[in-house]
Amino acid sequence: LTAGAFARVPLIDRIPEIKSGGSDENNGEEGLEVHFVYGENDWMDYRGGLDVQRLCHEKMQDRRTTTTTTRSAENNQSPPPKVFVHGVRNAGHLLMLENYQEFNAAMAIAAGREEDLPPGMSRSVEFACDEVAAAAAAANAEGADKPTTSRSSRKKVVMSEKDAAKFFRGGRFNRRESQQQKDDDAVIVEEKKE
């Protein structure tokens, strides 16, 4: 298996359709959560997790703007799952072997057991797509009780998509972009010599 394999039925199409078990009264807060955990140098494209997060967020926003009469006509479907994306430093695709401490911390956070982790233990980095980050910023500006982007109970910053592109430097897509930048810089240098 090499990087670049394509799934027959991609998760990006299936996860937003999962019945999460959450109710409209709590906005799906107690429904299913999906956590994507990628290594910093993983060959898998982290943007897949961010795209699933974006689609689930958009579906939830659509549900919130739909009237209750329309919702009952749709068979009262459950809201989409809440999606979180974690990055583990100094790890590739086998992140549970290459950096087991941050991987275990990500698993504890996903399971809602962050309080059981020792103080000072290294935690994974959490990322949010731009739409989720903007909604969280708006909610925080309005004085929401708790942040909507982070699974972690600690007050921490959730990194943006731009920060994710910097963090996941090992992915094949970032290498292409990096190579394109180097090529562009080489052209500029050659033009200056002439």
Side-chain angles (χ1 to χ4, degrees):
L1 182 64
T2 62
F6 293 99
R8 289 185 189 174
V9 184
L11 289 174
I12 193 169
D13 298 331
R14 297 183 341 196
I15 290 176
E17 302 305 319
I18 292 174
K19 295 181 185 204
S20 74
S23 65
D24 290 325
E25 291 80 33
N26 62 15
N27 293 324
E29 290 289 317
E30 302 202 7
L32 179 69
E33 292 180 353
V34 175
H35 293 259
F36 288 89
V37 185
Y38 297 96
E40 179 180 25
N41 299 307
D42 204 325
W43 61 265
M44 292 195 60
D45 189 1
Y46 66 92
R47 293 181 287 188
L50 291 174
D51 289 342
V52 172
Q53 184 182 58
R54 180 179 293 108
L55 288 173
C56 289
H57 174 72
E58 289 170 358
K59 188 172 180 181
M60 180 58 80
Q61 296 299 4
D62 290 345
R63 284 182 59 79
R64 288 181 182 155
T65 58
T66 305
T67 64
T68 54
T69 55
T70 307
R71 200 173 290 146
S72 62
E74 292 174 352
N75 248 354
N76 205 12
Q77 296 175 343
S78 78
K82 196 165 184 181
V83 178
F84 301 90
V85 180
H86 305 270
V88 174
R89 294 175 200 87
N90 302 317
H93 189 63
L94 295 174
L95 50 138
M96 70 291 293
L97 299 175
E98 296 167 350
N99 188 345
Y100 67 90
Q101 290 178 323
E102 279 193 24
F103 174 78
N104 289 343
M107 294 296 101
I109 292 168
R113 301 297 304 253
E114 186 176 13
E115 67 278 356
D116 294 341
L117 295 173
M121 182 177 181
S122 182
R123 306 303 204 263
S124 61
V125 180
E126 208 168 314
F127 299 95
C129 66
D130 293 337
E131 292 79 0
V132 170
N140 290 341
E142 293 173 6
D145 292 339
K146 64 180 193 174
T148 58
T149 58
S150 179
R151 178 65 169 99
S152 174
S153 59
R154 296 179 300 130
K155 296 279 186 192
K156 70 176 193 174
V157 175
V158 176
M159 307 293 273
S160 69
E161 284 188 67
K162 186 176 180 180
D163 294 324
K166 293 175 186 173
F167 178 85
F168 294 108
R169 63 181 177 260
R172 67 185 190 278
F173 297 101
N174 287 345
R175 273 190 250 144
R176 272 193 214 136
E177 293 165 6
S178 175
Q179 185 60 43
Q180 181 63 42
Q181 183 62 43
K182 287 178 185 175
D183 293 344
D184 292 346
D185 292 344
V187 169
I188 291 170
V189 169
E190 288 178 18
E191 289 175 357
K192 287 182 179 179
K193 287 181 182 177
E194 294 172 358

